[in-house]
Every structure is written in structure tokens, then in C-alpha cells.
Amino acid sequence: MSSPHERLVTQLARIKELSGLSLRALARRAELSSSSLSRYLTGQLVPPWEAVVALCRTVGRDPRSLRALWAEAARAGAAPAPRRNDLPADLFDFTGREAEAALVEELLRSAGAVAVDGMAGVGKTSLAVHVAHRLAPAFPDGGLYLDLHGFTPGQEPLEPPAALGRLLAALEVTHPPAGVTERAALWRSELSRRRVLVVLDNAADAEQVRPLLPGAGRSAVLVTSRHRLVSLDGIPPVSLEPLTDDDAARLFGRAAGLAAGEEDAVGQVLRQCGGLPLALRMAGARLRHRPGWTVAVLAERLRDAPGRFDSVFGMSLRQLDGIERRVFRLLGVLPGADFDASMVGALTDLPPGPVGAALEELVDAHLVQEPSPGRYRMHDLIRRYAADLAADEEPQAEAALRRALGHLLAQAVAHDRTLPSPHRPEPAPGDPAKAMAWFDLEYVNLVACFDAAVRLGVDEVVAELPQAMRVWFFRHRGSDDQARMLEAAAAAAARLGHHQRRAALLADLGYARATAGRLTEAVAAYESAERSGPDDETAAALALRIGLARRDLGDLETAQACFRRARDLFEALGRRAGQSQALAFDGWVTLRLGRTGEAVDLARASLALADGPARITGLVTLGVALAPDDPAESLRALHEALRLSEQDDLRHNQAWCHNHIGVALRMTGSHEEALAHHRRALELLEPLAEAQLELDVLRTHAETCRAAGRPDEALTLLDRAIDMARELGRPHDEKLARAAREAVRAAP
């Protein structure tokens, strides 16, 4: 039996339906904020009694009948929201499809998967979202929604690696591995521990979907596509046809607010709309906004247009004034998944008042959707219609798009400036958490706008946007978009003659390639950056990064020379944190070269210059150097490094610390405790794009297994390291792993 709160939400939804108003219009009529009303209607919050009264009055309903139900709901409080819920809002006027919805629900319960197909505008997404909301209690870990953009005008379908990256990010996996196979395996592993319903909307074909499917476990997936995905083994299809005449009439009647009568004229409207829910809702909204019209008048107007969608869309458009029609046309050229009012203001060059009014009218006419308060999107069919109109009627469409691109860039730069970064000693005032949340929200739009800027040749945006996203990318390493964006940005900076910016972009490109394990490509990018004339700050960072790449390639002497050059450059700049890093890595290489005493001195010199998390590298270097002779002091330093890593949630550094705590414990003979730390290191690395660190951990873990008398486990780890090194083209790491494997096999 449903709870009092759930029953109250149902009653409020009926009030919303009876009002015939959009969420924003209803909120304005009831003198409520749209964000609060959204929370009341989605069950996130129990409304105050005054809000219930205000909503009832908008439809002429006596609120007293709801008083007892409201009191019960208020005493119980709102039900806790799922841990994650990305689903768009359900449609309050969802009509018909009882048999199809029941079949989809049964297949999700029995097979854990279903693919809904049908023509454009037939209601695939509406059915999928409706079913997902109905099944929410069966999936307590939440619902994930991803638009695959299989048929979105002006946008390429989302490639499987990028789609997996976004799905994993929704599960708070911010550093996914690089390869699609590894990402798919991690995705299946993450879902196996949860009970999640995943909606993959607007798929282009089976190949796009196949890597995104869950494996074993209790999670389920619901796919929609215009094509029937017959080659997806184990995914039963459900095909949608246009609504039956009875269901179409009911939906049109609800959308138009019709009473009984005019059945003949209704039949003519239904034939024009072809049983498509999108067209029926728009035609109904048109009639509702013209109280002087009859259904017969509407049918006659629809017959005058040449085609089904031209008739319905065009009629909805004709109810708008000139400003609103212009806003609609220009929205057709705007890239990205969704948008807010400020973006529309930049696109149209209109002040906030007219923009807000135009958006409300477009929502009321069903030409624009408002899936959450203040965020808007367009159906793909309507977007295509708007884009076609813009091509014919908007000679300044490109100028409008350029304004929008500049606006998004300015927002990205402003938010980025509030984020702490080693490249920015003093961030601008602001809330870093809100800035990161903005990048999370706008990420898909940022990438889409970047691609649009590349197509238009807007080099200023192309060259600047990846730099404004560098902190976000650092915290989400492994993004498929970063490398290609940086390559395009470096080329744009060269065309603009901005050589120092090109150097900084190439340095970031090298870092992205290095974290993915592509060291030779990383060095090539770094060396190109050096030839581009970097500023002093970038030159110092480049020397440090080249040293790290050379170290991991096994060229220790060259690496040491790079670290010492970096130390001198950072010292000249007065950058103590940079000096500390260079000294610590110099100590690390010196230790590998067999000069332990000198390594300890370098590590202590590093610690004398650093505060906070900047001490981590020096502490780990010191801990490793002291491990053979002073294990107690070694463990103290390593545990302090781990504390600092956990304090700032630096997962890769945590893994590094756990691994070397394991090494130090191995030297004391505490093999089981050591193995636990190695295993923890690998657990932390599983979702991270840290190839070099994973290779190091596999080798040291194997060495501890050998010392603990577990040769079979050691060989398994080393075989994994060899395969990984070969795949990444890392001969030095492959050689080290093969030598370790031979040592294990040769041991008595």
C-alpha cells in the first residue's frame, strides 16, 4: 500500500494536470517558486499546508478534503530520495500504452533488459521514462538516464567510450580506464554491486549499445531507438505503433481540455496527427490557448499545411509573437543537450525578462520541454524543424551561435577561476563545490559547443575552452574528450599566433597521454610544447613532466637532469611547491640509481619546502628510501603521506601510499598485512586512469606474494602486468615484469 506522502503527491499531480499549465506557469499562479513546486510534485519534499491551499485554489478545488492526508504525510516526512536519479520527469498526461507498458515492465523484471523501438515522435522516451518511474521502488539504488544522441540534429551519436565515461561518472567513478573494453568491464562490475535501472535513450544502432549493457546482477537496462535492435542478443524488443484512435482521442482531449462533443472534428484532428503523442499534445495545446476556436477550426487549420509535422509544429508556432518565434528558430542552431535562460539570452541578444516570457510560452506550446526547473531541452523532431526554419529565415543565425559560444566560454572561465589549482596560487572568490557542480552539469554542452566552434572556425573559443576546463579534467582523468579537444585547441592557438598558450595546451595534452600510459606520445607532446616558446611557469612544469615520463621509460639519468632543471626553474619563480616536487622526484630517481643516502637528503630537502598535500611526494620518497634500514621511521612517513592523501581525497596518491606501505611491511616480515595494503592499492586504482601506477603496484604486489610463499599469485599479477605493458607499448615495463616472472619461476 502506498504511503500518505505518495498519495499526496498523486493528488498534487492531478491538480497540476487539471490546471493545464506548465510547471512555471502553475508556480506563478499559485505564488510558489518553481523549484519548490518541482520538489513537491516529485515527492522530494512535503509542501507546507499553505502551498497545498494555493494549488487547490488554482483549479477551484476545496483544499479541506486533503487536510487529513497532508497531516499524515507531514508527520511521516518525505521519503528518502534514491541515491541517484537522473530520470527526466514523468509526463502527467501520459495516456494509453497499458499493454506495452505492462510488457516492458515484465521484460525488465524477467530478462533485465528491453529495447523499445518505433518511429520518431511515437512516444518511445515517454514510455521508457514512465515505466522507469513506476518501477523506481524495485531499483533502490536509483535510475540512470543517458541520451545517446543517435538521431539528434547537428550532433554526432555518442561513442561507446564516451557513453561509458558518463555512465561511470554518474556512479562517482571519475577516473575510468582508457579502453572501451576495460570501461565496459568496470561498468558491469559497478552495476553488479547495485540495483539500478539504466535508461539508454535515442540509440543509433546495436553497436552503440552493446558495450553499455549490464552483466550479472540485479540491475536492468531499457533502450529506445528508431531502429529495431535485432542483433542485441538477450534484449527482447517491444515495437511501438501510433496510438489507437481511442487513446489518441483521450490524449488530445486531455491536452486540449475538451468536454464531450465534436467527435467528427476530433477524428479529423487525429488523422492529421497520425496517432503520434508529440503531435497530439501540441495540437491540444494550440486549441487550449485559443478558447474562441472549435475543434473544427483547428482541424481546418491543420489541413491547410503540407505535412503532418509542418501542420502541427507550424500551428503551434503561429500562436507565438515575433520575439517568441525568433527565439524558437534560434534554439534550433544551439548545440548541446539542454540549456538555461542565460544561454538563450546570449543566443538571442535579449534581456532576461523577454527571454523568460518567451520560454514560458514555448513550454506551454510544447515546443520546448522543462525537465527540471530552469533547464530546458527540445525534442529532436522539433529541433530539426527549428533548425530548418533558422536556415531559411535567420540570416544572422551564425552570429547568434557565436554569441552563445562566447557566453559559455565566459561562464567556464569565471567558474574555473574559483577552483584551486597548482597553476593558480590565489583562486578568485567563490564556492569551488558550486563551480565543479556547474562543470558537471554543463559538461555535455561544453563539449558540444567546442565541436561547434571547431566547425565554425571560432579559434578563440577553441583555444581557450580546454584551458578553462583543465581543473575539471584533472579531477576526471581518462575523459575521451580531453585529448582531442587539446589537439584542436593547440592547432587553433597556433593559427592565432598565441605560442605560449599553444605550449600550455600541448603540455596538458602530454599529461593526458601520460596518465593513459602513452608515454612516447606524451614525450612528443611535451617536446612540441618546449619548441613553442612556453612561459617560465609552463617551462618549469614541462621539465618536471618530461622527467616523470623519462623515469617511467627507464631513462633515469635523463629524468634526473630534467628534475634538477625543473627545480632551478621553480626556484627562480619562487614556487616552493614546485621545488619540493622536483627535489622529491630527484630523490626517487637517485634511490633507483642506488644512492640511498643522497636520496634521503633530497627527500628531507623537499619536505622542508612544502606544506599540506605538497608534502606527499617527499614523504613517500623518504619512506621508501628509509624502508631497508629504518622501517619504523619509514612507516611513519608513509602513513603521514596516506593521511594527507585521504584528507584531500587524492585517490591515486592513496594507492601510491598503500603500495609502498606494503613494501615497507614486507621488509619487516609482516607479509599478510603488506598484502592487504597492496590489494587496497589495486582496489583504489580500478576506476582510475593511472596506467603507470597500476604497473608499479602489480610488480611490487607480486614481489610481496613471492616473499610470502605465494608464487602462483605472483605469476598471475606479473602476467597481467606484461599484458598491460605490451598493450600500452611500454617495453621497459614489460622487461621489468618479465624479469620478475623469471625470478619467481627460478625460486626454489
Side-chain angles (χ1 to χ4, degrees), residues 505-669:
L505 290 162
L506 287 169
D508 287 349
L509 175 61
Y511 185 73
R513 288 173 170 168
T515 57
R518 308 293 182 184
L519 291 183
T520 303
E521 297 173 34
V523 171
Y526 290 148
E527 291 176 346
S528 293
E530 285 193 311
R531 292 192 296 270
S532 296
D535 59 25
D536 292 342
E537 190 82 38
T538 303
L542 275 169
L544 190 66
R545 291 178 180 180
I546 293 172
L548 291 170
R550 291 296 182 189
R551 178 202 67 183
D552 294 338
L553 287 167
D555 187 356
L556 300 183
E557 287 80 5
T558 302
Q560 187 170 63
C562 290
F563 292 141
R564 292 182 176 180
R565 178 168 173 264
R567 179 190 63 194
D568 292 341
L569 290 169
F570 280 124
E571 184 177 7
L573 289 166
R575 298 284 190 267
R576 291 170 62 89
Q579 286 178 258
S580 174
Q581 292 283 300
L583 283 163
F585 285 124
D586 187 358
W588 188 273
V589 170
T590 301
L591 181 63
R592 292 290 180 269
L593 290 170
R595 303 198 296 271
T596 303
E598 186 181 346
V600 169
D601 291 341
L602 287 165
R604 294 193 189 283
S606 166
L607 292 171
L609 289 168
D611 295 312
R615 294 171 58 82
I616 293 170
T617 305
L619 286 165
V620 173
T621 302
L622 181 64
V624 173
L626 291 173
D629 301 319
D630 191 347
E633 180 63 16
S634 167
L635 287 168
R636 186 204 64 76
L638 291 167
H639 278 290
E640 173 63 11
L642 178 60
R643 184 189 68 78
L644 291 171
S645 301
E646 291 173 340
Q647 176 180 291
D648 277 36
D649 197 28
L650 302 171
R651 306 286 178 87
H652 57 296
N653 277 338
Q654 290 174 38
W656 193 35
C657 294
H658 277 292
N659 186 48
H660 287 291
I661 289 171
V663 173
L665 288 167
R666 179 215 305 157
M667 292 182 176
T668 68

Side-chain angles (χ1 to χ4, degrees), residues 59 78 122 216-217 273 387 417 458 472 658:
V59 295
V122 80
C273 294
R417 284 176 178 160
V458 188
W472 191 92
H658 277 292

Side-chain angles (χ1 to χ4, degrees), residues 678-746:
H678 290 310
R679 284 192 291 268
R680 179 57 182 151
L682 286 174
E683 287 173 7
L684 286 162
L685 287 173
E686 185 179 2
L688 305 184
E690 293 283 354
Q692 181 60 49
L693 186 50
E694 186 173 351
L695 285 167
D696 292 342
V697 173
L698 288 170
R699 287 199 305 270
T700 51
H701 189 178
E703 177 61 25
T704 303
C705 285
R706 184 172 76 120
R710 300 183 179 187
D712 291 342
E713 291 182 38
L715 290 172
T716 299
L717 292 164
L718 291 168
D719 286 341
R720 180 174 156 191
I722 290 167
D723 291 342
M724 185 176 175
R726 187 187 301 116
E727 181 185 346
L728 292 171
R730 304 284 291 275
H732 176 67
D733 286 294
E734 184 178 351
K735 179 180 176 181
L736 291 174
R738 288 187 181 279
R741 186 173 64 177
E742 290 306 313
V744 172
R745 287 176 170 171

Side-chain angles (χ1 to χ4, degrees), residues 152-155 317 320 323-348 350 355 358-363 367-369 376-380 382-391 394 397 400-401 404:
T152 301
Q155 198 158 332
L317 198 60
L320 308 176
I323 290 177
E324 292 156 0
R325 288 196 293 271
R326 177 170 174 267
V327 170
F328 174 75
R329 291 192 298 267
L330 289 177
L331 286 174
V333 304
L334 185 65
D338 60 1
F339 50 90
D340 62 11
S342 70
M343 176 62 96
V344 180
L347 180 74
T348 59
L350 289 172
V355 165
L359 286 171
E360 287 195 18
E361 289 299 323
L362 291 170
V363 169
L367 290 165
V368 166
Q369 302 163 358
Y376 303 89
R377 64 186 303 145
M378 299 177 81
H379 189 284
D380 287 350
I382 298 175
R383 185 193 288 255
R384 169 60 65 193
Y385 180 69
D388 290 344
L389 289 178
E394 286 291 340
L401 178 52

